Amino acid sequence: PSASPILAAAYALLIVYGSLYPFSDWLPAEDMLAFLTAPWPRYIIRSDIITNILIYLPMGLLVARALRYQLRPGAAVVAATALCLLLSLAMESLQSLLPGRVSSLLDLLLNGLGGLGGALLARLTVNPPGPLRRLAELRREWFLPGRAMDLGLVAIGLWALSQLTPLLLSLDTNHLRKGLLPLWTPGFPSLFNWPQLAAYA
């Protein structure tokens, strides 16, 4: 069986974590969809555009691959893009309740574009063009075969992607030790961050 559904679910949880961190100081719920009719931001930063696209690109790819046996190729692309948009809409709506986050229609559209790009990339992997075939050949030449190695390469890729946003946890071992320190501290002097533990897991 394909690992894509499991990887897609795990990546969706990482998006939820990165979008809603630090899960505190929630504001009262009012019009959570007001950002859909708000004016465009005065300043649009290129790095924000790239980050919003790249973060959802793996999501679109994994969802499209998970759906490739249930739907026709075109339908899988549309469904994967729609699911990415729905996830982004949910995250942007919830971010309106967090004082340190800003909800934006532009972010929603860029996330959807990233999801579409990932879904199209998944479509290309079915019958890859020359450069992608060469990439697959290099993977076979340089790395051991098997699902475990594929998963390791995905983990390295996700780690590299996580460096684009400071709100996602770093898997640096020093940060990891500090984050898990309360488990070894008698009496738990500070509130233990269970979402952080789940993200590391």
Side-chain angles (χ1 to χ4, degrees):
S2 172
S4 296
I6 297 172
L7 291 173
Y11 193 75
L13 289 176
L14 282 177
I15 288 179
V16 170
Y17 183 90
S19 300
L20 303 182
Y21 182 82
F23 300 93
S24 60
D25 302 323
W26 294 87
L27 301 172
E30 295 180 358
D31 187 1
M32 296 171 63
L33 298 178
F35 71 92
L36 293 175
T37 55
W40 288 97
R42 179 174 297 181
Y43 302 105
I44 299 176
I45 303 172
R46 184 184 304 171
S47 61
D48 286 346
I49 294 174
I50 295 172
T51 299
N52 277 297
I53 291 174
L54 288 183
I55 284 178
Y56 272 76
L57 193 143
M59 188 69 196
L61 187 148
L62 291 169
V63 172
R65 285 186 61 83
L67 296 174
R68 69 186 187 277
Y69 297 123
Q70 285 78 31
L71 300 174
R72 293 186 177 187
V77 169
V78 172
T81 304
L83 286 172
C84 287
L85 278 170
L86 286 174
L87 177 60
S88 178
L89 178 62
M91 294 302 98
E92 294 294 325
S93 300
L94 290 172
Q95 280 181 348
S96 68
L97 307 179
L98 291 168
R101 308 305 296 269
V102 177
S103 301
S104 165
L105 175 60
L106 178 61
D107 288 351
L108 173 66
L109 296 177
L110 291 172
N111 294 157
L113 184 61
L116 173 62
L120 292 174
L121 187 59
R123 181 74 187 96
L124 286 177
T125 61
V126 176
N127 186 19
L132 287 181
R133 278 199 300 273
R134 180 57 186 153
L135 194 61
E137 291 170 3
L138 290 175
R139 184 259 175 269
R140 288 193 295 271
E141 293 172 7
W142 292 355
F143 300 99
L144 294 172
R147 182 70 55 81
M149 181 59 68
D150 290 339
L151 196 59
L153 292 172
V154 168
I156 292 172
L158 292 179
W159 169 81
L161 193 62
S162 74
Q163 305 310 299
L164 292 173
T165 170
L167 295 177
L168 284 179
L169 285 168
S170 168
L171 293 183
D172 177 74
T173 55
N174 187 48
H175 292 168
L176 182 60
R177 281 195 293 269
K178 288 180 180 178
L180 299 180
L181 184 62
L183 283 176
W184 283 270
T185 305
F188 286 83
S190 60
L191 290 176
F192 187 69
N193 192 333
W194 291 105
Q196 186 177 29
L197 174 63
Y200 276 135

